[in-house]
Amino acid sequence: MKSNESISRSSEEFEAMFFKYRPIVEIMYKKYYLKDYDLDDWMQEGRIVFNKCLQAYDENRGTTLGVLFKRSFENRVCSLLRLQQAQKRKAQLNSSSLEEKISHEGPNFLSNQNEQTEKAEKYLMLQETMNKYDSPFSKLEQIVIMNYLKGLELEQIAEQTELPLQQIKSAYNRGKKKLRALLMNP
């Protein structure tokens, strides 16, 4: 186990070595733009790459530590730029103009989204009602009705619960009757 003194000394040695190669990071910082990265973030990336280079460096390979660090850091920056561009393309891919939305979905596309929101709210309210302590639904009826409302077929629910299909159908029919009664008499 290393003592605190040797850890701080090795940390100081690392910083002294990194200081020699810091201009490489500063040049790349001026040359490229990474969204949400300030100089401190660049220096942190530089330290991480430099530490990996120190661990991987073999002077018998015919290259210097400076060349290894420069190439490695350039590769890291290129990777970050590619990641940034991929995120940008993904955002652009998922976006569309108002005119496109109207031409594809019609002028009422916002009301369709509102309908979906209302359906989700009703679903949540129904789930809360079914989970109440004094709920008229049995546990199996709750499971069947909620899974059915999620879009599962009765056969799928039977598979999922490992119960006979007839038992699931019966629970569905009982639950449906109770649900109608509940909705008719709030």
Side-chain angles (χ1 to χ4, degrees):
M1 181 188 266
K2 291 184 177 181
S3 70
N4 286 342
E5 185 179 317
S6 67
I7 290 173
S8 73
R9 186 173 54 238
S10 65
S11 175
E12 290 170 5
E13 290 170 3
F14 174 83
E15 284 300 320
M17 288 179 71
F18 178 72
F19 187 77
K20 290 182 200 174
Y21 299 102
R22 180 184 167 122
I24 293 171
V25 177
E26 291 170 345
I27 289 168
M28 296 292 284
Y29 172 73
K30 290 175 185 171
K31 187 175 180 181
Y32 296 104
Y33 171 75
L34 288 170
K35 185 179 179 202
D36 299 330
Y37 271 63
D38 60 14
L39 184 57
D40 288 338
D41 296 320
W42 279 78
M43 288 299 158
Q44 185 67 27
E45 288 293 333
R47 284 181 180 91
I48 292 168
V49 172
F50 187 69
N51 187 39
K52 288 179 182 178
C53 289
L54 283 175
Q55 293 173 4
Y57 179 65
D58 182 4
E59 58 188 41
N60 296 328
R61 290 199 173 174
T63 187
T64 65
L65 180 60
V67 170
L68 176 64
F69 173 62
K70 184 175 188 255
R71 285 186 186 151
S72 297
F73 190 66
E74 285 174 341
N75 289 340
R76 176 66 181 148
V77 170
C78 288
S79 293
L80 291 170
L81 287 168
R82 276 193 295 273
L83 178 64
Q84 181 176 294
Q85 290 296 14
Q87 290 170 342
K88 192 180 206 179
R89 281 192 303 275
K90 185 178 178 184
Q92 289 172 346
L93 191 73
N94 293 335
S95 67
S96 58
S97 70
L98 181 60
E99 290 80 18
E100 282 181 63
K101 288 289 235 181
I102 291 173
S103 69
H104 290 294
E105 298 177 35
N108 298 328
F109 77 92
L110 282 176
S111 64
N112 292 343
Q113 288 179 340
N114 289 340
E115 287 173 16
Q116 289 176 348
T117 302
E118 286 176 21
K119 285 180 184 177
E121 288 172 354
K122 287 178 183 177
Y123 177 79
L124 288 172
M125 287 173 39
L126 178 62
Q127 190 172 16
E128 286 175 7
T129 302
M130 291 179 80
N131 289 333
K132 282 184 181 174
Y133 183 73
D134 58 344
S135 170
F137 300 96
S138 71
K139 195 71 177 157
L140 180 58
E141 291 166 350
Q142 287 181 16
I143 291 169
V144 172
I145 295 294
M146 294 311 288
N147 281 312
Y148 187 79
L149 290 173
K150 287 179 186 175
L152 292 178
E153 297 294 326
L154 295 178
E155 292 80 9
Q156 292 171 307
I157 298 169
E159 260 181 56
Q160 203 176 56
T161 58
E162 298 177 352
L163 293 171
L165 179 59
Q166 189 55 45
Q167 190 176 355
I168 297 299
K169 285 181 179 179
S170 296
Y172 170 74
N173 289 328
R174 287 190 315 271
K176 192 166 65 171
K177 286 178 188 173
K178 290 177 183 178
L179 186 57
R180 275 194 197 126
L182 188 67
L183 293 175
M184 296 297 184
N185 303 318

